[in-house]
Amino acid sequence: MQPRDVDESFLALPLSALAEAALTRAVDLGCEHADLRVERIRTQSLNLRDARLESLADGEDLGLAVRVVHEGTWGFAAGVVLTAAEAVRLAEQAVAVAQVSAALVTDRVELAPEPPHEGAWVSSYDVDPFEVPDADKTALLTEWSERLLAADGVEHVTSGCMHVKEQKFYADTSGTRTRQQRVRIAPEFTALTVDRATGAFESMRTIAPPVGRGWEYLTDGRYDWAAELAEIPGLLREKTKAPSVEPGRHDLVVDPSNLWLTIHESVGHATELDRALGYEAAYAGTSFATPDGLGSLRYGSELMHVTGDRTAEHGLSTIGWDDEGVEAQRWDIVRDGVLVGYQVDRNTARMGGMDRSNGCAFADSPRHVPVQRMANVSLQPADDGPDLDGLIGGVERGIYVVGDKSWSIDMQRYNFQFTGQRFYRIEGGRLAGQLRDVAYQATTTDFWGSMRAVGGPSTYRLGGAFNCGKAQPGQVAPVSHGCPAALFEGVTILNTVQEGGR
Amino acid sequence: MSRLSAQELVEQALAASTADGCVAYVVESTEANLRWASNSLTTNGAMRSRQVVVVSFVDGGAGMATGTVARTGTPDVAELVAASEQAARDAGPAEDAVPLVSEAPAGAGDWDADPAETSIEVFTEFAPALGEAFGAARSRGDLLFGYAEHSLTTTYVGTSTGLRLRHDQPTGRVELNGKSTDFSRSVWAGVGTRDFRDVSVPDLAADVERKLGWAQRRVDLPAGRYETVLPPSAVSDLMLYAYWTMEARDADEGRNVFARAGGGNRIGDRLAQLPLTLRSDPHAPGLEAAPFQVVSASSGSASVFDNGMATPAVDWIRDGVLTNLVRPRAWALKTTAPAVAAVDNLVLEAPEATASLDDMVGATDRGLLLTTLWYIREVDPQTLLLTGLTRDGVFLVEGGEVTGAVNNFRWNESPVDLLGRISEAGRTERTLPREWNDWFTRAAMPPVRVPDFNMSSVSPAS
Ligand SMILES: [Zn+2]
């Protein structure tokens, strides 16, 4: 069912003519490098409040951009009119922008080389969500929301689904011509309960991750939505009656549904080379994992093996070629607990003394310049590691953390604080009921250094998000993180009610 | 270049509509930006874009339903209208259905005029001044990082009820971050602007240089509750979160911090001990924003049925008392309360306050002076407990003087709780929210003093 090539309606755009017009003009104007991107991004958001459709918004963003390196300086211009004349104008404008900037630039732009590529790549999905009638999508979301709303103790249900279909054509002066299409989906259901008398309210959200799949994610049974929706009301009831946590140091078993976000914040962003070199210093921030620590910085315990990839099936950062024409790859970032790699684009690869980019350039729209964005950064399971019961069974007293919720980390990626959808007391190697008001707080290297056990392949799951933010002007990128469940010793637990001074 | 004008697109869409109601709008955008790091320009750009949005309203018998379709560029209007009508027919009756707005708001704008535009030339004076600041920083041995952006959006809204509205929105911001070469000292200055004519690079650079000087002496302090002076930028980031949470429906349903135990909302409750006023006003000088609503998708705080509705000045908190919450017309009808729309600016004021930030530092015996807040996220919606970091300058104040720079902290605080604990507020001035300026730049806030700000743990970041 999966299409072999990009949709005909996109290929019917004058892609080659735009490329020839823009690149020829850029070369004539003396650019040492030029690239052209044409992108069409379809988005659709369905939002339901208490099982009634609140909004259905359908968008399409179509445009083109020319990026040049002119006498060692970047220039960029973007527009929405798909004509050869406009492509020429954008090439000229990009060169003009480079010339204006030149007076203020001291670092010369150099790009790591990449062999030319030609071809098509389509992500792994079965059913294009934009081919499914809106009425069918709304009906399914409504029915599942009603099911939740009808359950005992559930007062409100907030639900929704976002779909994206991204089509890109890329051409550059080295001869690369690629066309790509990928689809992703983010369904979410949250049940809320309100205690009118006390004014207390509490919620529980599905932990099903957003993925690089089509509408079949909701219908083909590979994810057990029925089971998850069925258990949420009971979990929510239990949560409202759960005791408030005793703050202090606790052993944590962290489920992949929570750990993916901790990886994202404390490993993913910290190992972006542009950050480590200071290019995001005023905005997204820098990194404690500076290049002088490559090959020596102890990131975590010896059990820690983290990879970066743009190849995992259904991964949200998975592509064929990146937005600088670099082929998708997979590489090590942390091996045996030591920092061994970064995520780079072609310019930062050069700065980092690397022969080749590992393909992490991404622009979130035709209006934006590509910047280094995150690969699927994943914690590898232990081949012979325990299953979830085995991990929990090894803990005398501790807490099991499921699902992500609140997250925050500092600008150098040291100090973080996370909450979750639910927390369970572990006593004598068994779960002993939920806890409330829990947050965990740590410093990145302390946390990963305290990792005492890594789950086996049976615990490995892909988590992720659509909305990772970086760069100015701000860009959002989708990214997945695979991880097993893992055990961390002596992590600081806060009671969020006490933190609020109550 | 021959292409349809925005006004023509709106008229074509309304003419093509076969629905029971239609709202069509076009947003013409131009934007220019400069970004720099380590005293050198890094990226830049000039962008032009156009978005065409059609919202159709179809009465399927059981009530009015809606569908929204948006496209960039110059789309096939007939196709766009048909798609939005199909979406509406598929949607089922909308809970927020009310008759479309037909009364033109004050300040409907010049419909016939061409869109306003900006370009990279907006930086003609700014860029050389920045170059001079780079040179000065280089000779001091400091590094400058930052970003400047200017955008102009012109929105043309047409409705099947006869409204033709237009609004030009200039938006600009500058952030200047200074660091020592080893990155151990880091400070920030920023401003919002409409046109860059009021941006002084020397003033921003002087602010950065002064704070880098303060940071020469480093003091390590543990987590704990501290008397803290928050400058306007930090106050704006906290108040914005409170503002974005001010949804009447959520409150009435018992599901946000403005819900009253036992039912209803907390309008009428005293939130601040000082007579503080938190307000929005589309005509606030220097912070001018659209005087009418433009909504592409309904939510608890806005409705597509309210497109074109006037958004007059509103007090959210008046003299310390919660006065208004955001309420679309449909929810207003349901709860017999006034319809109140959000406005794209926010002002916090203390009446007759005259103290500047420096005055408040001078009156501090021992406490912390912050610069900005960062990575603010909600921890507990019940109390609106937020967490975040201090960033780019925590200073120790002793005997009315800054005596050194302190490590950063992770803090846990609720802006609603803080309102009740603010012991002093200074003079309100225009400020740039550090955390939220990607989405919100039009703010004016006072510096405030909090006797017991909760610094939850130390962050080693600089
Ligand atoms: Zn991120």
Side-chain angles (χ1 to χ4, degrees):
Chain A
M1 272 185 288
Q2 184 192 339
R4 296 278 169 264
D5 204 339
V6 177
D7 290 354
E8 195 48 50
S9 64
F10 183 72
L11 299 179
L13 298 170
L15 303 173
S16 298
L18 293 170
E20 296 329 308
L23 300 181
T24 303
R25 186 67 185 134
V27 169
D28 287 349
L29 291 170
C31 295
E32 48 264 41
H33 167 91
D35 56 61
L36 167 107
R37 262 182 309 126
V38 181
E39 289 194 23
R40 180 164 73 182
I41 303 169
R42 277 294 295 277
T43 53
Q44 188 181 56
S45 288
L46 296 96
N47 290 294
L48 290 81
R49 186 163 182 148
D50 294 340
R52 286 187 69 167
L53 187 69
E54 183 170 63
S55 68
L56 187 159
D58 185 301
E60 181 183 289
D61 195 353
L62 172 64
L64 74 169
V66 178
R67 186 179 67 152
V68 303
V69 182
H70 183 263
E71 294 177 3
T73 303
W74 286 122
F76 179 78
V80 295
V81 181
L82 301 188
T83 61
E86 176 71 353
V88 167
R89 189 190 72 81
L90 291 174
E92 289 166 352
Q93 195 184 3
V95 172
V97 169
Q99 285 166 332
V100 170
S101 309
L104 297 177
V105 169
T106 52
D107 300 338
R108 213 183 154 79
V109 174
E110 286 183 50
L111 304 181
E114 177 71 15
H117 303 287
E118 216 168 334
W121 180 88
V122 178
S123 70
S124 180
Y125 67 92
D126 293 335
V127 182
D128 180 347
F130 295 92
E131 299 293 325
V132 178
D134 291 344
D136 294 3
K137 287 182 270 198
T138 304
L140 184 98
L141 296 173
T142 303
E143 191 208 318
W144 290 6
S145 301
E146 281 169 348
R147 210 185 287 173
L148 268 182
L149 197 56
D152 188 24
V154 175
E155 188 123 347
H156 296 288
V157 174
T158 306
S159 47
C161 192
M162 186 171 177
H163 308 284
V164 180
K165 181 178 182 181
E166 196 182 274
Q167 294 162 322
K168 282 190 201 223
F169 170 75
Y170 172 91
D172 68 25
T173 42
S174 77
T176 289
R177 300 284 184 276
T178 59
R179 49 190 195 274
Q180 304 187 67
Q181 176 165 306
R182 56 181 191 165
V183 164
R184 52 184 177 268
I185 181 169
E188 236 180 56
F189 297 82
T190 304
L192 187 115
T193 183
V194 180
D195 183 330
R196 290 273 164 195
T198 64
F201 59 92
E202 193 57 83
S203 69
M204 182 85 59
R205 197 195 71 219
T206 46
I207 60 170
V211 289
R213 296 187 61 195
W215 181 248
E216 77 278 1
Y217 183 40
L218 289 168
T219 59
D220 72 1
R222 281 168 66 187
Y223 189 86
D224 196 344
W225 287 97
E228 179 159 31
L229 291 169
E231 70 175 8
I232 278 190
L235 292 169
L236 179 59
R237 283 195 302 274
E238 187 193 349
K239 187 180 185 179
T240 57
K241 294 182 192 117
S244 201
V245 71
E246 194 69 43
R249 287 184 175 267
H250 297 264
D251 292 351
L252 295 189
V253 173
V254 186
D255 193 78
S257 57
N258 181 275
L259 191 58
W260 74 267
L261 184 52
T262 308
I263 293 168
H264 175 88
E265 299 292 1
S266 69
V267 187
H269 281 303
T271 58
E272 296 178 306
L273 188 57
D274 61 340
R275 285 185 66 119
L277 292 172
Y279 287 90
E280 283 286 333
Y283 182 65
T286 59
S287 175
F288 72 93
T290 47
D292 56 328
L294 193 64
S296 61
L297 174 74
R298 176 137 297 278
Y299 216 107
S301 77
E302 286 180 357
L303 304 174
M304 186 182 187
H305 180 200
V306 176
T307 56
D309 79 73
R310 303 208 65 185
T311 56
E313 191 182 22
H314 307 306
L316 293 169
S317 184
T318 300
I319 47 145
W321 302 273
D322 78 352
D323 287 351
E324 297 184 315
V326 177
E327 192 174 22
Q329 297 159 47
R330 182 181 192 272
W331 65 99
D332 280 346
I333 293 175
V334 176
R335 196 169 49 228
D336 303 327
V338 174
L339 175 71
V340 296
Y342 282 103
Q343 305 158 73
V344 299
D345 59 19
R346 290 175 67 176
N347 187 206
T348 51
R350 252 298 147 81
M351 294 175 189
M354 296 162 62
D355 297 336
R356 187 187 183 197
S357 164
N358 47 34
C360 292
F362 176 74
D364 71 351
S365 93
R367 273 183 304 287
H368 287 150
V369 67
V371 289
Q372 185 275 309
R373 298 310 311 264
M374 209 180 288
N376 304 306
V377 171
S378 298
L379 177 70
Q380 294 306 310
D383 287 340
D384 51 358
D387 62 10
L388 187 59
D389 287 345
L391 272 174
I392 291 169
V395 176
E396 193 41 46
R397 287 194 69 239
I399 295 173
Y400 172 50
V401 187
V402 183
D404 67 86
K405 196 168 185 186
S406 175
W407 74 102
S408 175
I409 188 165
D410 72 34
M411 41 285 171
Q412 227 176 324
R413 304 280 145 172
Y414 281 116
N415 175 309
F416 60 67
Q417 178 177 308
F418 294 96
T419 65
Q421 290 299 321
R422 45 190 184 268
F423 295 85
Y424 293 87
R425 219 148 33 102
I426 304 173
E427 274 184 11
R430 287 166 184 274
L431 297 187
Q434 287 188 52
L435 290 165
R436 283 178 61 107
D437 313 322
V438 187
Y440 68 93
Q441 205 181 64
T443 295
T444 293
T445 44
D446 294 346
F447 180 79
W448 290 107
S450 77
M451 186 165 68
R452 286 294 164 269
V454 174
S458 72
T459 71
Y460 189 85
R461 301 280 183 279
L462 209 58
F466 272 22
N467 61 345
C468 172
K470 192 178 174 184
Q472 289 177 308
Q475 296 195 40
V476 292
V479 58
S480 289
H481 301 281
C483 54
L487 166 65
F488 301 84
E489 274 181 6
V491 179
T492 298
I493 293 291
L494 304 181
N495 180 301
T496 56
V497 173
Q498 290 176 17
E499 281 296 305
R502 306 277 159 138
Chain B
M1 197 184 343
S2 78
R3 61 169 193 167
L4 288 170
S5 72
Q7 298 94 322
E8 286 168 327
L9 281 168
V10 170
E11 297 297 352
Q12 279 193 4
L14 293 173
S17 172
T18 62
D20 298 299
C22 182
V23 172
Y25 66 89
V26 175
V27 185
E28 299 271 14
S29 314
T30 47
E31 182 185 316
N33 61 65
L34 300 175
R35 196 180 197 201
W36 56 94
S38 301
N39 302 328
S40 178
L41 212 62
T42 51
T43 60
N44 52 58
M47 279 91 93
R48 172 185 298 278
S49 184
R50 168 195 265 180
Q51 192 187 31
V52 185
V53 182
V54 177
V55 189
S56 291
F57 302 81
V58 174
D59 190 343
M64 201 68 90
T66 82
T68 301
V69 176
R71 297 286 181 267
T72 49
T74 303
D76 182 325
V77 172
E79 214 172 272
L80 194 59
V81 169
S84 82
E85 289 178 5
Q86 183 62 46
R89 275 191 290 275
D90 284 350
E95 206 180 358
D96 55 338
V98 286
L100 294 183
V101 175
S102 54
E103 189 187 338
D110 181 355
W111 175 260
D112 295 320
D114 285 341
E117 290 191 357
T118 188
S119 73
I120 198 89
E121 275 82 50
V122 75
F123 301 126
T124 300
E125 283 163 32
F126 176 86
L130 186 65
E132 279 172 36
F134 288 170
R138 213 173 283 130
S139 59
R140 285 199 311 270
D142 295 336
L143 300 174
L144 293 179
F145 302 77
Y147 181 64
E149 179 184 275
H150 191 242
S151 68
L152 245 165
T153 61
T154 297
T155 305
Y156 297 92
V157 183
T159 70
S160 54
T161 49
L163 298 186
R164 296 294 183 274
L165 313 177
R166 176 249 179 84
H167 176 69
D168 296 331
Q169 185 65 66
T171 303
R173 51 178 170 151
V174 182
E175 295 191 76
L176 190 65
N177 167 218
K179 290 183 193 295
S180 56
T181 46
D182 64 356
F183 283 33
S184 66
R185 290 178 288 139
S186 186
V187 302
W188 181 93
V191 288
T193 178
R194 282 170 66 84
D195 54 18
F196 273 78
R197 279 189 295 224
D198 54 352
V199 173
S200 164
V201 176
D203 285 0
L204 290 167
D207 192 5
V208 160
E209 189 181 346
R210 179 192 191 202
K211 287 178 183 150
L212 278 173
W214 285 347
Q216 292 287 359
R217 178 170 170 254
R218 163 76 184 229
V219 185
D220 285 324
L221 287 179
R225 287 187 178 266
Y226 288 92
E227 177 172 328
T228 301
V229 176
L230 289 88
S233 172
V235 175
S236 71
D237 278 318
L238 292 167
M239 288 306 121
L240 271 171
Y241 212 106
Y243 179 38
W244 288 334
T245 309
M246 287 182 171
E247 181 187 312
R249 182 170 177 183
D250 273 350
D252 295 341
E253 290 180 346
R255 53 196 287 193
N256 73 18
V257 68
F258 300 109
R260 181 186 300 285
N265 61 52
R266 292 175 64 191
I267 287 178
D269 278 14
R270 173 160 295 283
L271 298 183
Q273 289 313 307
L274 298 182
L276 300 173
T277 292
L278 184 73
R279 62 186 182 84
S280 297
D281 177 359
H283 304 294
L287 306 175
E288 291 87 349
F292 55 84
Q293 279 215 288
V294 182
V295 182
S296 64
S298 291
S299 66
S301 53
S303 165
V304 289
F305 290 91
D306 295 350
N307 268 298
M309 182 173 107
T311 56
V314 54
D315 289 348
W316 308 108
I317 296 170
R318 188 184 301 145
D319 298 333
V321 175
L322 181 66
T323 316
N324 275 299
L325 294 168
V326 176
R327 191 181 295 111
R329 286 184 302 150
W331 193 251
L333 275 173
K334 202 164 195 163
T335 57
T336 50
V340 181
V343 175
D344 196 14
N345 64 27
L346 192 66
V347 177
L348 182 70
E349 283 169 329
E352 287 149 44
T354 56
S356 68
L357 182 62
D358 283 354
D359 293 340
M360 287 175 63
V361 168
T364 304
D365 187 41
R366 183 184 162 84
L368 302 177
L369 167 65
L370 307 187
T371 304
T372 67
L373 305 179
W374 187 247
Y375 224 125
I376 300 170
R377 293 295 182 275
E378 188 173 304
V379 177
D380 183 2
Q382 182 89 53
T383 55
L384 203 62
L385 182 74
L386 307 178
T387 192
L389 283 304
T390 61
R391 185 171 185 184
D392 289 334
V394 179
F395 301 104
L396 178 62
V397 180
E398 294 172 299
E401 303 261 330
V402 172
T403 57
V406 179
N407 46 271
N408 280 304
F409 294 100
R410 167 170 301 288
W411 48 268
N412 283 313
E413 279 288 359
S414 159
V416 177
D417 208 61
L418 276 178
L419 276 169
R421 286 156 45 218
I422 292 173
S423 58
E424 183 189 0
R427 186 174 68 221
T428 292
E429 59 181 68
R430 169 137 206 204
T431 190
L432 184 70
R434 173 73 184 282
E435 167 84 356
W436 305 121
N437 69 54
D438 285 332
W439 298 276
F440 202 103
T441 59
R442 286 174 277 278
M445 298 279 148
V448 306
R449 186 188 307 280
V450 176
D452 52 356
F453 199 88
N454 178 21
M455 301 298 183
S456 175
S457 60
V458 167
S459 157
S462 57

